Amino acid sequence: MALSEMNGDGSEQEQDGCQEPDVIAMGNILESFTESQEIRGLINSLKGVYGNLGTREVTIEKFIVIMDKYQEQPHLLDSHLEWMMHLLLDVVRDNRSPSLLVHLAFKFLYIITKVRGYKIFLRLFPHEVADLQPVLDMFADQNPKDYETWETRYMLLLWLSMTCLIPFDLARLDGNILSEEGRTRMPIMDRILKVAKSYLVVSDKSRDAAAVLVSRFITRPDVKQKRMADFLDWALSTLSKSSFQTMEGTIVMDGMLQALAQLFKHGKRDDCLPYASTVLECLDNCKLSESNQTLLRKLGVKLVQRLGLTFLKPKVAKWRYQRGCRSLAANLQFSAQVPVAQNLVAAAVTAAADEEEYDIPGEVENVIEQLLIGLKDKDTIVRWSAAKGIGRITGRLPKELADDVVGSLLDCFSFQETDNSWHGGCLALAELGRRGLLLPSRIADVVPVILKALTYDEKRGACSVGSNVRDAACYVCWAFARAYDPLELKPFVNQISSALVIAAVFDRDINCRRAASAAFQENVGRQGTFPHGIDILTAADYFAVGNRVNCFLNISVYIASFPEYTQSMIDHLVNMKINHWDGVIRELSTKALHNLTPQVPEYMTDVVLPRLLPLSVGTDLHTRHGTILACAEITHALYKLAAENNRGAELRKGNKRSVTNYFNEKSLEGLKQIHQEVCANYKYLGLGGELMRLAVCTLIEKLSLSKMPFREDPIIDGWQWLINDSLRSLPLVSSTARQQIKEAAVSALAALCNEYYINEQREANPVLQGELLQQYISELQNTEEMIRCGFSLALGALPRFLLKGKLQQVLEGLKKVICISHKDVSFAESRRDGLKATAKVCQTVGVKRDGPQDEFVCKDNVIQIYTMLLNGMSDYTTDSRGDVGAWVREAAMTSLMEVTLLLVQNEPELLDANICKQIMCCVAQQSAEKIDRFRAHAGSVFLALLNFDNPPIPYIPHREELERIFPRSEAVTLNWNAPSQAFPRITQLLGLPTYQYYVLLGLTVSVGGLTETTVRYSAQSLFDYMKKIQNNLDAMNNFCETLLRVFEDNLLNDRVSVPLLKMLDQMLANGCFDIFTTEEKNTAWSACSCLFTRCSPKVEFGKDSGKHSHSSV
């Protein structure tokens, strides 16, 4: 919080998913108040618009919109504030102005005050003697309970707080206090005090302005003598009688506390000191620390610190540490002669010896104790106020007592304390350091605490707390960089720099990373002693650390290339991050370890791995998960390093090095035993079993890719069992983890087979091959859909040597998965994965035109493969989840594209005109349908097939016309997701005979659909096409024949027939068929008669009311 506030940055929270949103920082780009003329016009128009509610609200809204633009740069208004105030006050002062107009003028004044702040705006109010009486008189017309005009009362109180500062005794303004009726008029002093008291207990914002009025009015020389004691008695009496248990009591206490805090802030010490003890005693009796009202606790802390400052003499501590001088010349002189810090410390010691001794009142101890308690409050604003109070009061204490305060402050950082205490302690340390009250002798005690705070993270249930502590610790480092001479921090440079780099790169929260980056930058600029500071800042600046993935995987590698940071970064990941409560952080940390391994491979093998292996079979679930993943990533990184070194050795003709050279026997055995230990302890069962399966499958994949020497080892059978069991257990896994486990198991299977199931002849063991394929193919008919999904993808991941001689058997098994039968009609996900597996199998075995059909995609099985894939294009299954068939169609389109590109690159002769026509027509139909995401996918597939030229795909119907409709130059910019861009292009295919039927079929569903934007743009594009062919009778006849064919083919298909009737309704209403009204006998007329004939029985016996209404048209 702290450093983010200092930078004025409102960082947004990150998502829990792996993808972290890009954070765009909008800079302040305004250079001047450009709307001054418009604002002047709005103010001048108030007299004309106040009477009409509509115009009044529009004017107010315009004014607010303009002023809110300057919330972040309010200083741009400064040169314009005076004339705006004068224009509005002229309206207020005009006796002819109705009350509604006056309220409107004060509302505008409040809007300006809100943007610029009342402290700046206040001093511009006119404060002549002549202004006092009119302002007081205006209060007589105010109703404190009118919630719509509170802005008027707020601004009047601020104005009164300025006019009451006139440098004359207020009694001189009373004159003859006898009224004409002979009664005594109330003196002005009492009138102002009455107004202030009455508005201190209201429930609106006027209460804040009343507190300002009190602080300025009561501290006047003439008022404090006569009314200060009485006011304090009234305030303390009201405060003691009120209770924070009720809403009314809370409001009253808020007003009293604000008034007292402001009074003791602005009043002279000699005037306030006699009452300070009484106020403190009353405040203690209120027990505000027990209140649930954050604002009351904050005001209590604020008042306590003001009382503490009243007890102490207003003097600057001579013992405080000062870095440099106010004079640049003096600084340069010191730096040229003796180190600045030595001079300043010597001066401080001398000053301390001469310091005047004086007694510290006993109440100060009570004040400090309450502030220390405030540092542990549950709300940030209370802790922040307490921290500032600690800083202010410590600056007035003798050196010994101030050191005691620092000692008490360090007690906030024990591990028995909560995160609130740590956060408050960090804020207070930053305040002390910033004010020079934390002497260099204490830095050695403070730095270890701050280093712990930079990594503070306490788990609470399913999440953790501590991000505010880490942010505040960064603020401390930022403050120390500005406060101390480099010589004072030199012994701690390496510790602080490493800790800030780790926080900037590896912290989970974006605000902490940015705070650490800002603190690092401040230290580099102010201290100049951080190793490689400029280089690191260039890579890890405020904006670069906004992306978490980039920090973990890229920036960390660059920083780790500097040896001063490498080991500390690795140790932090191992100790703090691989056991983090957030799974995304654990996974990113293990990938970061993978990337950092080449920097110090020996440290990884000699220190890190021996530390990780025992933890991989420990009791904590998150630690086991992260540790197993870390072992897998480090092992794979060492293998890649060995392979890279071997390539270099080949060039140098030196000795090659195997990955096993990095491991000793104990480490190899430890990696091998992970699965056995987890299995023996039943860690694969239960909810934790999901993470264990995921982690160990990843371990199997990485160890296999690393070519670990486990061939013919029994552990291979154990790994294979785990993969198979994970695929069979998919129905029992939670839906969130199911996809991850399926993908991990399939990837592990592919790597395992490639490494351990192939012999020296590059072939598979026939027995193992037969058993594995028989087992997997039999599972394709399992009654559980998820099991079918898993084993389908597993078949698709098998290497070529395992599919050799078994291709036809595998295709037959996948065909049964893909085909829709009555008992498994809802198994859309298994059909989707079956289509994906079919394409993968084809890519794995390759193409050979005259090859055997059990080994290659060839002329004997290519039709079978395309039939399987094209059948998926007609899957429109729906269930409670919606159009689940869209998943199947999406997979079918992708698979058709992959297989077609595979064929055209290797054996284009296997493609015939009919297959190409079916592919292009089916994809064109999908690109005209209603779901944006699938339409976009279809469009990208369509253009990929059309524009592929290595070599071009043959037999694409109407290629030249298609290339004219879809120019290659626009292929990237065309947004198929947007109906406004997609449908105007797609409807042009209606003019191509080959595509007309399929595109019209897709458009029917879009035009007759429910989504407003889709219906609007698809219908408009269709109408535009119809207008183009309006005068072409042949084209109109062809269109009507195609429309009739679509209806006849889908007469019993509600998915098409109902939208088609809706589409016809719109076309008739739009006059698309008006040309036929002049023709007595034509094809269209026959089509309409046939349509009515076909439609009548369905309307008569149909159940859909929508069809009844539309068919009646």
Side-chain angles (χ1 to χ4, degrees):
M1 185 281 300
L3 197 54
S4 297
E5 285 190 355
M6 292 297 293
N7 291 331
D9 170 62
S11 301
E12 56 186 80
Q13 294 293 321
E14 298 173 3
Q15 297 175 349
D16 289 334
C18 186
Q19 294 294 325
E20 184 176 35
D22 292 333
V23 181
I24 301 174
M26 297 298 292
N28 293 332
I29 57 174
L30 301 175
E31 296 181 356
S32 63
F33 184 46
T34 56
E35 293 90 350
S36 60
Q37 292 303 318
E38 188 175 353
I39 290 294
R40 189 183 296 271
L42 288 174
I43 294 175
N44 290 330
S45 69
L46 293 184
K47 293 182 179 180
V49 303
Y50 76 92
N52 184 285
L53 178 62
T55 55
R56 184 169 73 242
E57 289 184 350
V58 169
T59 304
I60 294 172
E61 190 62 31
K62 286 181 180 179
F63 193 79
I64 291 174
V65 169
I66 293 173
M67 298 305 294
D68 282 351
K69 287 170 56 178
Y70 297 89
Q71 286 276 16
E72 295 185 10
Q73 294 174 280
H75 61 277
L76 297 177
L77 301 176
D78 286 352
S79 60
H80 304 270
L81 292 176
E82 193 167 354
W83 66 258
M84 286 192 284
M85 173 176 281
H86 287 322
L87 285 177
L88 291 167
L89 287 184
D90 287 343
V91 175
V92 171
R93 287 166 159 169
D94 189 348
N95 294 328
R96 295 169 298 177
S97 297
S99 61
L100 193 58
L101 178 58
V102 172
H103 290 315
L104 186 58
F106 275 120
K107 188 178 188 71
F108 273 45
L109 281 171
Y110 170 73
I111 293 169
I112 301 171
T113 307
K114 181 187 70 172
V115 174
R116 189 60 188 102
Y118 82 89
K119 293 180 182 178
I120 300 293
F121 201 58
L122 187 65
R123 61 183 73 147
L124 299 177
F125 273 113
H127 46 276
E128 302 291 333
V129 175
D131 293 313
L132 181 57
Q133 189 67 40
V135 174
L136 272 175
D137 291 340
M138 287 187 196
F139 278 102
D141 300 328
Q142 302 303 314
N143 178 11
K145 296 182 180 179
D146 185 358
Y147 65 90
E148 292 185 349
T149 60
W150 62 267
E151 294 98 336
T152 302
R153 301 189 292 276
Y154 177 81
M155 296 309 300
L156 279 174
L157 286 166
L158 290 181
W159 192 0
L160 183 58
S161 68
M162 197 66 196
T163 56
C164 74
L165 295 180
I166 53 177
F168 305 105
D169 193 322
L170 293 178
R172 298 173 62 184
L173 303 179
D174 291 330
N176 184 7
I177 62 173
L178 290 177
S179 64
E180 294 178 359
E181 293 82 5
R183 290 178 298 178
T184 302
R185 287 189 293 109
M186 184 181 293
I188 287 181
M189 185 183 297
D190 292 341
R191 289 179 64 189
I192 296 176
L193 196 57
K194 180 181 178 182
V195 168
K197 287 181 177 180
S198 64
Y199 283 101
L200 278 176
V201 295
V202 298
S203 59
D204 54 44
K205 194 171 176 61
S206 304
R207 188 172 65 248
D208 302 348
V212 175
L213 172 60
V214 166
S215 68
R216 292 170 178 266
F217 179 67
I218 297 294
T219 54
R220 281 178 54 92
D222 53 341
V223 177
K224 68 185 178 186
Q225 295 176 1
K226 302 177 182 179
R227 298 289 185 268
M228 187 172 187
D230 294 339
F231 175 80
L232 288 174
D233 286 342
W234 172 81
L236 295 179
S237 174
T238 305
L239 190 63
S240 59
K241 293 177 182 177
S242 303
S243 170
F244 51 72
Q245 302 290 345
T246 64
M247 182 59 68
E248 294 79 5
T250 300
I251 292 171
V252 171
M253 294 183 79
D254 179 275
M256 298 304 114
L257 291 171
Q258 281 198 66
L260 291 171
Q262 292 273 15
L263 184 58
F264 278 88
K265 176 180 180 180
H266 294 288
K268 291 182 180 179
R269 177 176 181 266
D270 293 339
D271 298 331
C272 298
L273 185 58
Y275 312 103
S277 298
T278 306
V279 174
L280 181 61
E281 182 181 354
C282 179
L283 194 61
D284 290 341
N285 294 333
C286 289
K287 301 185 186 306
L288 292 178
S289 59
E290 300 175 4
S291 171
N292 290 326
Q293 299 294 327
T294 304
L295 197 55
L296 290 185
R297 298 199 306 276
K298 178 198 171 185
L299 290 172
V301 169
K302 186 185 287 285
L303 179 55
V304 162
Q305 64 171 286
R306 289 300 168 189
L307 292 172
L309 293 173
T310 303
F311 288 123
L312 297 170
K313 292 182 179 180
K315 58 185 293 185
V316 177
K318 296 179 180 179
W319 53 264
R320 67 192 177 102
Y321 176 85
Q322 296 182 66
R323 177 187 180 185
C325 303
R326 304 289 275 180
S327 167
L328 178 61
N331 272 332
L332 294 175
Q333 181 182 358
F334 277 132
S335 63
Q337 297 173 3
V338 186
V340 177
Q342 297 178 8
N343 283 297
L344 294 173
V345 171
V349 171
T350 305
D354 298 336
E355 184 178 7
E356 178 188 356
E357 294 293 334
Y358 66 93
D359 293 333
I360 302 298
E363 291 89 350
V364 173
E365 183 178 354
N366 181 14
V367 168
I368 294 176
E369 181 181 356
Q370 290 194 44
L371 292 177
L372 289 173
I373 293 173
L375 291 177
K376 304 176 183 181
D377 195 90
K378 63 181 180 179
D379 287 298
T380 301
I381 59 172
V382 181
R383 298 194 295 270
W384 182 243
S385 182
K388 289 189 286 187
I390 289 286
R392 289 172 179 143
I393 290 178
T394 305
R396 297 189 182 184
L397 292 175
K399 181 179 178 182
E400 294 76 13
L401 294 180
D403 191 66
D404 291 342
V405 172
V406 174
S408 300
L409 201 55
L410 292 176
D411 292 338
C412 292
F413 297 97
S414 88
F415 281 101
Q416 285 76 33
E417 296 289 354
T418 64
D419 60 301
N420 297 330
S421 177
W422 279 69
H423 181 247
C426 286
L427 295 178
L429 285 177
E431 279 295 308
L432 293 179
R434 195 169 62 86
R435 296 169 182 267
L437 304 175
L438 191 64
L439 295 179
S441 59
R442 275 290 193 176
I443 296 180
D445 299 325
V446 171
V447 168
V449 167
I450 298 306
L451 296 180
K452 292 178 182 177
L454 282 170
T455 57
Y456 185 91
D457 196 18
E458 288 291 325
K459 187 177 179 183
R460 296 274 178 86
C463 58
S464 73
V465 295
S467 62
N468 58 342
V469 177
R470 301 193 299 274
D471 191 13
C474 294
Y475 174 45
V476 177
C477 296
W478 179 88
F480 282 10
R482 300 168 69 91
Y484 295 104
D485 190 85
L487 289 176
E488 306 294 352
L489 292 179
K490 187 175 181 181
F492 313 101
V493 161
N494 288 334
Q495 300 175 57
I496 296 175
S497 61
S498 296
L500 284 176
V501 160
I502 286 169
V505 176
F506 293 140
D507 200 282
R508 178 180 182 269
D509 296 292
I510 183 173
N511 61 307
C512 296
R513 294 198 302 273
R514 286 184 157 176
S517 176
F520 189 90
Q521 179 178 349
E522 194 72 22
N523 276 274
V524 171
R526 301 270 183 179
Q527 299 287 313
T529 54
F530 275 24
H532 311 285
I534 299 297
D535 295 330
I536 292 174
L537 270 182
T538 305
D541 63 17
Y542 180 83
F543 298 103
V545 298
N547 188 305
R548 186 166 60 195
V549 175
N550 183 49
C551 285
F552 271 83
L553 304 186
N554 299 322
I555 298 177
S556 64
V557 178
Y558 174 75
I559 297 176
S561 64
F562 303 115
E564 293 88 346
Y565 301 99
T566 310
Q567 186 172 327
S568 61
M569 293 174 71
I570 293 173
D571 288 342
H572 175 78
L573 290 173
V574 172
N575 296 328
M576 303 288 293
K577 286 298 186 286
I578 62 172
N579 58 356
H580 197 270
W581 62 271
D582 187 350
V584 175
I585 297 297
R586 294 198 298 273
E587 293 174 11
L588 283 174
S589 301
T590 59
K591 293 175 182 176
L593 284 172
H594 176 279
N595 293 345
L596 297 180
T597 297
Q599 306 280 358
V600 281
E602 291 78 12
Y603 183 73
M604 288 294 194
T605 54
D606 298 339
V607 178
V608 175
L609 268 179
R611 192 190 310 173
L612 292 178
L613 288 172
L615 297 175
S616 64
V617 291
T619 56
D620 184 70
L621 173 61
H622 292 159
T623 302
R624 284 201 313 272
H625 176 247
T627 304
I628 293 173
L629 290 177
C631 291
E633 294 289 352
I634 292 172
T635 303
H636 192 214
L638 290 171
Y639 164 75
K640 292 199 288 188
L641 182 63
E644 186 178 341
N645 292 337
N646 288 340
R647 284 194 294 272
E650 289 178 1
L651 296 176
R652 298 189 304 269
K653 297 183 179 179
N655 294 327
K656 294 185 178 181
R657 190 176 187 186
S658 169
V659 65
T660 54
N661 297 130
Y662 287 110
F663 299 94
N664 54 36
E665 287 296 326
K666 186 177 180 181
S667 297
L668 284 174
E669 191 64 24
L671 290 171
K672 193 193 304 183
Q673 291 297 321
I674 288 176
H675 162 69
Q676 297 174 349
E677 291 287 340
V678 172
C679 185
N681 293 321
Y682 305 102
K683 301 296 187 183
Y684 290 130
L685 304 178
L687 292 176
E690 297 177 0
L691 286 178
M692 285 298 95
R693 289 179 186 274
L694 185 60
V696 178
C697 283
T698 304
L699 178 70
I700 295 170
E701 178 190 5
K702 298 300 183 182
L703 294 183
S704 300
L705 293 174
S706 302
K707 302 185 183 300
M708 300 300 284
F710 299 152
R711 191 181 295 273
E712 306 299 332
D713 194 290
I715 192 61
I716 302 301
D717 293 334
W719 288 354
Q720 183 65 59
W721 171 86
L722 174 63
I723 293 171
N724 295 344
D725 189 65
S726 296
L727 294 175
R728 289 194 189 95
S729 303
L730 287 176
L732 307 176
V733 175
S734 64
S735 58
T736 54
R738 187 175 294 154
Q739 186 66 21
Q740 289 179 300
I741 292 177
K742 181 169 62 176
E743 292 173 356
V746 169
S747 299
L749 175 67
L752 180 72
C753 293
N754 273 313
E755 179 60 26
Y756 298 113
Y757 287 169
I758 190 171
N759 57 26
E760 296 178 354
Q761 290 76 35
R762 311 299 298 171
E763 294 179 351
N765 182 331
V767 177
L768 185 147
Q769 179 190 21
E771 291 178 353
L772 190 67
L773 286 175
Q774 182 61 37
Q775 180 184 6
Y776 282 17
I777 292 173
S778 63
E779 293 289 359
L780 297 181
Q781 295 303 306
N782 198 291
T783 54
E784 289 286 347
E785 181 184 16
M786 287 300 111
I787 295 179
R788 292 191 185 190
C789 291
F791 284 98
S792 294
L793 293 177
L795 282 172
L798 292 178
R800 188 177 187 281
F801 65 85
L802 282 175
L803 295 172
K804 186 178 181 180
K806 304 288 186 179
L807 176 59
Q808 202 59 31
Q809 185 179 352
V810 171
L811 290 177
E812 288 296 332
L814 291 173
K815 181 179 179 181
K816 294 178 181 179
V817 175
I818 295 170
C819 291
I820 301 178
S821 61
H822 179 70
K823 63 179 181 180
D824 56 15
V825 66
S826 62
F827 286 7
E829 291 181 75
S830 65
R831 294 195 291 276
R832 175 199 63 193
D833 290 344
L835 288 165
K836 292 180 180 178
T838 301
K840 293 295 181 186
V841 167
C842 293
Q843 291 174 310
T844 301
V845 298
V847 183
K848 190 173 183 181
R849 184 175 184 276
D850 297 318
Q853 63 177 355
D854 265 343
E855 295 185 18
F856 298 99
V857 176
C858 60
K859 62 182 180 181
D860 295 327
N861 58 17
V862 68
I863 299 299
Q864 175 193 358
I865 293 170
Y866 270 113
T867 302
M868 293 166 57
L869 300 180
L870 287 169
N871 284 340
M873 297 292 288
S874 59
D875 192 325
Y876 285 91
T877 306
T878 58
D879 61 13
S880 58
R881 296 169 292 180
D883 184 6
V884 294
W887 302 336
V888 183
R889 302 196 300 276
E890 183 182 30
M893 287 186 282
T894 304
S895 301
L896 282 169
M897 179 180 67
E898 291 172 350
V899 173
T900 301
L901 297 183
L902 175 70
L903 292 177
V904 79
Q905 288 175 301
N906 295 280
E907 297 286 354
E909 298 84 3
L910 292 176
L911 287 170
D912 61 33
N914 184 47
I915 288 177
C916 289
K917 173 189 171 184
Q918 289 185 65
I919 294 172
M920 296 302 291
C921 289
C922 289
V923 175
Q925 176 187 336
Q926 296 302 315
S927 63
E929 292 206 351
K930 61 183 179 181
I931 303 177
D932 291 346
R933 184 168 74 88
F934 300 112
R935 182 177 65 248
H937 183 70
S940 64
V941 170
F942 189 86
L943 293 185
L945 294 173
L946 176 63
N947 295 331
F948 189 78
D949 52 9
N950 190 26
I953 297 175
Y955 310 121
I956 291 182
H958 306 286
R959 176 185 284 275
E960 293 182 1
E961 291 88 340
L962 291 177
E963 290 179 344
R964 187 176 63 254
I965 296 172
F966 303 103
R968 293 195 178 206
S969 58
E970 299 179 10
V972 178
T973 58
L974 179 59
N975 182 9
W976 287 90
N977 267 313
S980 59
Q981 296 187 39
F983 285 110
R985 301 294 182 94
I986 287 298
T987 50
Q988 295 182 47
L989 301 187
L990 291 171
L992 307 178
T994 305
Y995 298 101
Q996 189 177 62
Y997 176 87
Y998 298 92
V999 172
L1000 186 56
L1001 180 58
L1003 275 175
T1004 298
V1005 179
S1006 297
V1007 177
L1010 299 175
T1011 307
E1012 181 184 354
T1013 54
T1014 304
V1015 171
R1016 181 168 69 249
Y1017 289 110
S1018 60
Q1020 187 58 50
S1021 300
L1022 178 61
F1023 299 156
D1024 291 343
Y1025 170 77
M1026 296 299 293
K1027 287 180 182 178
K1028 291 180 182 178
I1029 64 170
Q1030 193 67 238
N1031 298 322
N1032 188 337
L1033 191 58
D1034 292 336
M1036 289 293 292
N1037 287 332
N1038 291 334
F1039 180 86
C1040 292
E1041 289 176 354
T1042 305
L1043 187 64
L1044 177 62
R1045 192 150 54 94
V1046 168
F1047 186 76
E1048 288 179 335
D1049 293 345
N1050 297 275
L1051 187 60
L1052 301 179
N1053 183 358
D1054 289 353
R1055 183 188 67 83
V1056 178
S1057 60
V1058 175
L1060 186 141
L1061 293 172
K1062 292 180 180 179
M1063 182 181 73
L1064 275 177
D1065 186 12
Q1066 295 185 56
M1067 294 177 73
L1068 289 168
N1070 201 61
C1072 293
F1073 301 113
D1074 287 352
I1075 187 176
F1076 298 127
T1077 59
T1078 60
E1079 299 287 335
E1080 295 184 1
K1081 296 292 183 179
N1082 51 50
T1083 306
W1085 179 259
S1086 303
C1088 292
S1089 301
C1090 187
L1091 179 64
F1092 184 77
T1093 303
R1094 301 285 188 191
C1095 190
S1096 296
K1098 186 163 182 67
V1099 173
E1100 183 178 350
F1101 299 104
K1103 297 180 180 179
D1104 192 299
S1105 60
K1107 277 180 278 187
H1108 287 244
S1109 60
H1110 289 287
S1111 60
S1112 62
V1113 176

